[in-house]
Amino acid sequence: MLRIMAKRSDKPDDRHYGGRGDPVRSMELLWRDRSAPARGRGPKPGLTVERIVTAAIDLADAEGLPALSMRRVAQRLGVGTMSLYTYVPGKAELIDVMFDTVCGEQDPIPWAEDWRERLELIARSTLGMYRRHPWMLSVMANSRPPLGPNSIANYDRDLRAVDGLGLTDLEMDSVVTMLAVYVQGAANTVVEAASTEPATGVSDQEWWETYGPLLAKVFDAEKYPTAARIGAVAGETYQSAYDPDHGFEFGLTRLLDGVAALIASR
Amino acid sequence: MLRIMAKRSDKPDDRHYGGRGDPVRSMELLWRDRSAPARGRGPKPGLTVERIVTAAIDLADAEGLPALSMRRVAQRLGVGTMSLYTYVPGKAELIDVMFDTVCGEQDPIPWAEDWRERLELIARSTLGMYRRHPWMLSVMANSRPPLGPNSIANYDRDLRAVDGLGLTDLEMDSVVTMLAVYVQGAANTVVEAASTEPATGVSDQEWWETYGPLLAKVFDAEKYPTAARIGAVAGETYQSAYDPDHGFEFGLTRLLDGVAALIASR
DNA sequence: TCCAATATCGTACGGCGTACGGAGACGACG
DNA sequence: CGTCGTCTCCGTACGCCGTACGATATTGGA
């Protein structure tokens, strides 16, 4: 009756860029039994899902999601491309497992007395995760996430941080989600800023020195006096168009102030 | 001395997914003189940059960024693929122009008396833009943005909304950026949620009905009581894992409460 | 009229995900 | 010990991608 992605899409690779895989296959992989080898009749497996996932994560960390290809992963493992398909149904499901694996590698976050500090620690830890694995930003799914053991553990940890503050269940969920969404957006900026210089070989200052004059030629400061004023101040202060780390902390403070107001109103 | 992307990267297409183009070429396109045809000697141009950009935007709207290819755009215009390169240096620069074009199509936002209402209107208008053009989320650049006329106009508009409230220039910039970052993150969720059903042919409810039992088999509710409780409540309330529109407004309220606290402290 | 300048675009290269099916390795059973 | 069923490994092929290159067609100016 109810089929969920029972068929692969007709066109190759038209699932979202860091796509969701077939839920059933993904769940089987995510919650797979890691203990029993349970060898059967054929030849010994030369690989494991773990080794493939690790190699894929290393590759994505080093060269980004666009460089993540089945060929490249197989190359890293010294096997033929198609051998991977013995262990993993396809690229999309592999990415689902990569996602949950990374979710599980965060250090345990110390339990602070203050809810505010707890949320700050979580936010910064998550930011650190995105820093180490920028491709996670392209894979993140907030609706219909691949519900692996580690991402669920994180969800539980986040909820416990706002439990017992007088919020309703729904408000707790909303606060936690809002924080995750904000961190995701801010991390996008932070990560992009960090990755641009190595990728282009041009520092922010150099970029600004070239772009600025280019812009000055065409930009009419009289038409947009506010943008001209603030843009100049921000550019001088940050030596670039924007300082993402400052932005992250600034936004986090405002956001938690807003949460404080909600809690106070209860 | 100072070269900014003077050469194309050696590998094809390793610029970011919705990549930045060569700044000089992009700026020439973005601020191009739209008036003068200034015909010279050769055959009449059969296309315009505008037509190409429009076709590209239509394609990206309809089928997403992964489907945006030079071949497909050319197909839509009834020309050979390589003809596009007469008008546009490459795909990356085309995307830069698409970006700024979309930035310019927002309706003018009415000027509200209350700063808070002004920011709400901007946030919702921006969300609407992301709804109409989900691919903009994959193209958004917060550091080193392609500074076209329209994105600058929007920046100015945003700043004017928080001018004269007693904030410093830097704080104004931070507030505006924070709002943009939040909307970006939240829009990610909203847009993803809206696009998942048509893309997969599975409604949220159907998905939940299949996924839920699948999860129930492996999820240990006693290990994560908080997640189990809240997840169940949220699932029942939203008939899915999450209601993104509610999340957007909830987060926006908290965020503006935080801004209000900042303004009050001045 | 003829040429310089411009527009058009076919071909080619090396990449991608993965369907398909053959080949070889191994354990269980006769 | 042979044989068969099962499993692993993976070469090949298809149709996509961006775009460098260079041939060809079209036009206006001299």
Side-chain angles (χ1 to χ4, degrees):
Chain A
M1 266 343 175
L2 175 63
R3 288 175 325 143
I4 291 203
M5 295 201 51
K7 63 165 170 61
R8 288 239 177 248
S9 180
D10 0 20
K11 275 174 291 183
D13 204 19
D14 70 346
R15 308 178 256 347
H16 276 80
Y17 191 59
R20 302 271 77 74
D22 174 346
V24 179
R25 315 279 249 123
S26 282
M27 288 294 270
E28 282 172 6
L29 265 181
L30 285 168
W31 299 86
R32 70 195 177 279
D33 187 1
R34 243 159 282 236
S35 59
R39 298 269 357 286
R41 208 177 298 209
K44 294 186 187 78
L47 290 175
T48 60
V49 176
E50 277 71 21
R51 288 228 298 146
I52 293 174
V53 171
T54 305
I57 292 175
D58 288 347
L59 177 58
D61 288 349
E63 307 190 39
L65 207 52
L68 179 72
S69 74
M70 299 304 269
R71 282 171 231 263
R72 296 288 307 277
V73 172
Q75 212 169 52
R76 282 198 165 220
L77 293 166
V79 301
T81 307
M82 293 313 291
S83 300
L84 303 182
Y85 288 85
T86 305
Y87 302 87
V88 156
K91 189 186 184 185
E93 291 82 2
L94 171 58
I95 291 179
D96 282 348
V97 181
M98 291 167 64
F99 176 87
D100 199 71
T101 303
V102 166
C103 281
E105 77 177 20
Q106 281 186 66
D107 303 323
I109 294 174
W111 178 265
E113 279 309 306
D114 184 20
W115 64 264
R116 191 168 175 128
E117 197 179 338
R118 289 199 291 272
L119 291 185
E120 283 176 5
L121 288 173
I122 289 174
R124 297 206 189 97
S125 166
T126 308
L127 176 63
M129 183 267 281
Y130 285 127
R131 262 193 228 276
R132 288 189 301 276
H133 310 289
W135 51 270
M136 286 287 282
L137 286 164
S138 312
V139 166
M140 261 313 250
N142 299 99
S143 76
R144 307 196 195 176
L147 295 170
N150 294 321
S151 60
I152 286 185
N154 286 353
Y155 180 53
D156 188 78
R157 174 204 64 194
D158 295 354
L159 285 172
R160 274 185 286 116
V162 293
D163 203 7
L165 300 175
L167 300 176
T168 68
D169 284 355
L170 234 49
E171 283 171 337
M172 285 173 57
D173 185 64
S174 295
V175 166
V176 160
T177 307
M178 170 186 65
L179 191 70
V181 160
Y182 170 74
V183 170
Q184 208 178 125
N188 235 317
T189 306
V190 171
V191 158
E192 184 200 280
S195 70
T196 307
E197 172 157 353
T200 61
V202 180
S203 77
D204 271 2
Q205 196 174 349
E206 287 169 334
W207 176 84
W208 193 240
E209 279 168 11
T210 310
Y211 225 102
L214 228 54
L215 185 62
K217 269 190 213 158
V218 288
F219 174 62
D220 182 1
E222 294 187 10
K223 198 170 167 195
Y224 301 119
T226 320
R229 185 182 91 230
I230 311 280
V233 171
E236 279 174 32
T237 307
Y238 304 136
Q239 289 299 312
S240 103
Y242 180 61
D243 177 351
D245 288 292
H246 168 269
F248 177 81
E249 290 295 332
F250 179 91
L252 186 57
T253 304
R254 290 326 124 220
L255 212 123
L256 295 181
D257 282 352
V259 173
L262 176 69
I263 291 176
S265 77
R266 285 291 170 270
Chain B
M1 263 349 174
L2 175 62
R3 287 174 327 144
I4 291 201
M5 297 201 50
K7 64 165 169 60
R8 288 240 176 248
S9 181
D10 358 22
K11 274 174 290 183
D13 205 20
D14 70 345
R15 309 180 254 345
H16 277 81
Y17 190 58
R20 302 272 78 71
D22 174 346
V24 179
R25 314 278 250 123
S26 282
M27 287 295 269
E28 282 171 7
L29 264 181
L30 286 168
W31 299 86
R32 70 196 177 279
D33 187 1
R34 243 158 282 232
S35 59
R39 299 269 357 286
R41 205 176 301 209
K44 295 188 187 78
L47 291 174
T48 60
V49 176
E50 276 72 21
R51 287 227 300 144
I52 294 174
V53 171
T54 304
I57 291 176
D58 287 348
L59 177 58
D61 287 350
E63 307 191 38
L65 208 51
L68 180 71
S69 73
M70 299 304 270
R71 281 170 232 263
R72 296 288 306 276
V73 173
Q75 211 170 54
R76 284 199 161 217
L77 293 166
V79 301
T81 308
M82 293 313 292
S83 300
L84 302 182
Y85 287 86
T86 306
Y87 302 87
V88 155
K91 191 187 183 184
E93 291 82 3
L94 171 59
I95 291 178
D96 281 348
V97 181
M98 291 167 64
F99 176 87
D100 199 70
T101 303
V102 166
C103 280
E105 79 178 18
Q106 280 187 66
D107 303 323
I109 295 174
W111 178 264
E113 280 308 305
D114 184 19
W115 64 264
R116 190 168 175 128
E117 196 178 338
R118 289 200 292 271
L119 291 185
E120 281 176 8
L121 288 173
I122 289 174
R124 297 206 190 97
S125 165
T126 307
L127 176 64
M129 183 266 283
Y130 285 126
R131 261 194 229 275
R132 289 189 300 276
H133 310 290
W135 50 271
M136 285 287 282
L137 285 164
S138 313
V139 166
M140 261 312 254
N142 299 98
S143 76
R144 308 195 194 178
L147 295 170
N150 294 321
S151 59
I152 286 185
N154 285 354
Y155 179 53
D156 188 78
R157 175 204 64 194
D158 294 354
L159 286 172
R160 273 185 286 116
V162 293
D163 203 5
L165 300 176
L167 300 176
T168 67
D169 284 354
L170 233 48
E171 282 171 338
M172 285 173 58
D173 185 63
S174 295
V175 167
V176 160
T177 306
M178 170 186 64
L179 190 71
V181 161
Y182 170 73
V183 171
Q184 209 178 122
N188 235 318
T189 306
V190 172
V191 158
E192 183 201 280
S195 70
T196 308
E197 171 155 355
T200 61
V202 179
S203 78
D204 271 2
Q205 198 175 347
E206 287 169 333
W207 176 83
W208 194 240
E209 279 168 10
T210 310
Y211 226 103
L214 228 55
L215 185 61
K217 268 190 217 158
V218 288
F219 175 62
D220 182 1
E222 294 188 10
K223 198 169 167 194
Y224 302 118
T226 320
R229 185 182 91 230
I230 312 280
V233 171
E236 278 174 34
T237 306
Y238 304 137
Q239 289 300 313
S240 104
Y242 179 61
D243 178 352
D245 289 290
H246 167 268
F248 178 80
E249 291 295 333
F250 179 91
L252 186 57
T253 306
R254 291 325 126 219
L255 211 123
L256 295 181
D257 282 353
V259 174
L262 176 69
I263 291 175
S265 77
R266 286 289 170 274

